[in-house]
Amino acid sequence: MSKIGKKNIVVPSDVKVQVNESQILLEGPKGKKALNINNEYLKITFSDGKISVVPKDPKKQNKIIWGLQRSLINNAVIGVGKGYEEKLKLNGVGFRANLKGKQLQLQLGFSHDILYDIPEGITIKVDKQTTIIISGVDKELVGKTVADIKFFKPVEPYKQKGITSEGQFVLKKEGKKK
């Protein structure tokens, strides 16, 4: 039995849920999300403010999909209700970020500026030119956007210059000794 799959998903009162045969439609204060369901293996029901995911047949493949599908639905419920938010910090002399329409302009010490196209469904705010706040409904899309931006200037371990997530620990290495 799946430990994660057994748990029911508690839906907040401000989130509306509609279960079709192959899709779940979620609507809340932060936005809308539609999830495809693998109805060949699983049965999903919604009643009394709780979503339950049950396998149709207790095979190993069904158990794997059971926990995964429950986690995806839970992430969508949280995203539609509260939303997901990540903060990035730019560490380095002259490192700056600005918004230009639907693009994020990054100055990261290169000879040119980096322009990043903001994906649909993501909102980006820039505070003090060194803090970037990325928010959205979809957890996967927020994480991918954070990873794409961090890829432009990974943190180097000697001076710790680069782009870091809030709360990320970077082990500082000792430099050359004479």
Side-chain angles (χ1 to χ4, degrees):
M1 298 294 271
S2 173
K3 293 178 184 178
I4 297 171
K6 284 186 210 175
K7 298 177 186 174
N8 289 332
I9 301 166
V10 179
V11 179
S13 60
D14 57 351
V15 175
K16 296 177 186 173
V17 178
Q18 203 175 25
V19 180
N20 298 336
E21 52 186 68
S22 66
Q23 220 178 29
I24 290 184
L25 301 170
L26 300 165
E27 187 177 341
K30 295 288 184 176
K32 296 180 183 179
K33 179 124 171 102
L35 274 175
N36 292 325
I37 304 167
N38 194 340
N39 59 354
E40 183 181 331
Y41 302 111
L42 302 171
K43 180 182 174 193
I44 297 174
T45 56
F46 173 66
S47 61
D48 300 329
K50 292 183 181 178
I51 299 174
S52 62
V53 181
V54 181
K56 290 184 178 177
D57 188 26
K59 292 181 184 172
K60 184 177 181 181
Q61 182 66 28
N62 294 357
K63 290 179 186 177
I64 295 168
I65 295 172
W66 184 16
L68 171 71
Q69 195 70 49
R70 189 254 178 220
S71 292
L72 292 174
I73 294 169
N74 188 41
N75 288 343
V77 168
I78 292 170
V80 165
K82 297 177 189 172
Y84 289 99
E85 185 176 279
E86 286 279 336
K87 290 185 180 179
L88 297 177
K89 296 198 177 205
L90 303 176
N91 300 321
V93 178
F95 287 16
R96 288 189 206 104
N98 293 315
L99 284 174
K100 281 193 171 182
K102 293 190 176 192
Q103 290 185 327
L104 178 67
Q105 178 186 13
L106 297 167
Q107 296 174 347
L108 300 174
F110 300 122
S111 60
H112 59 283
D113 293 349
I114 297 170
L115 295 175
Y116 178 73
D117 294 326
I118 301 171
E120 193 69 34
I122 294 292
T123 56
I124 293 181
K125 296 177 191 169
V126 177
D127 290 346
K128 305 180 207 170
Q129 294 185 335
T130 58
T131 305
I132 303 168
I133 301 171
I134 301 165
S135 58
V137 174
D138 189 2
K139 184 177 185 178
E140 183 180 359
L141 188 59
V142 170
K144 184 183 180 328
T145 306
V146 167
D148 288 345
I149 293 173
K150 285 171 72 173
F151 181 73
F152 292 128
K153 190 73 172 182
V155 181
E156 55 99 6
Y158 296 101
K159 293 185 181 178
Q160 296 184 335
K161 292 166 71 174
I163 303 173
T164 59
S165 295
E166 188 171 301
Q168 177 183 353
F169 178 75
V170 179
L171 185 65
K172 189 169 184 178
K173 289 185 177 179
E174 193 173 335
K176 232 196 264 188
K177 293 183 180 179
K178 290 185 180 182

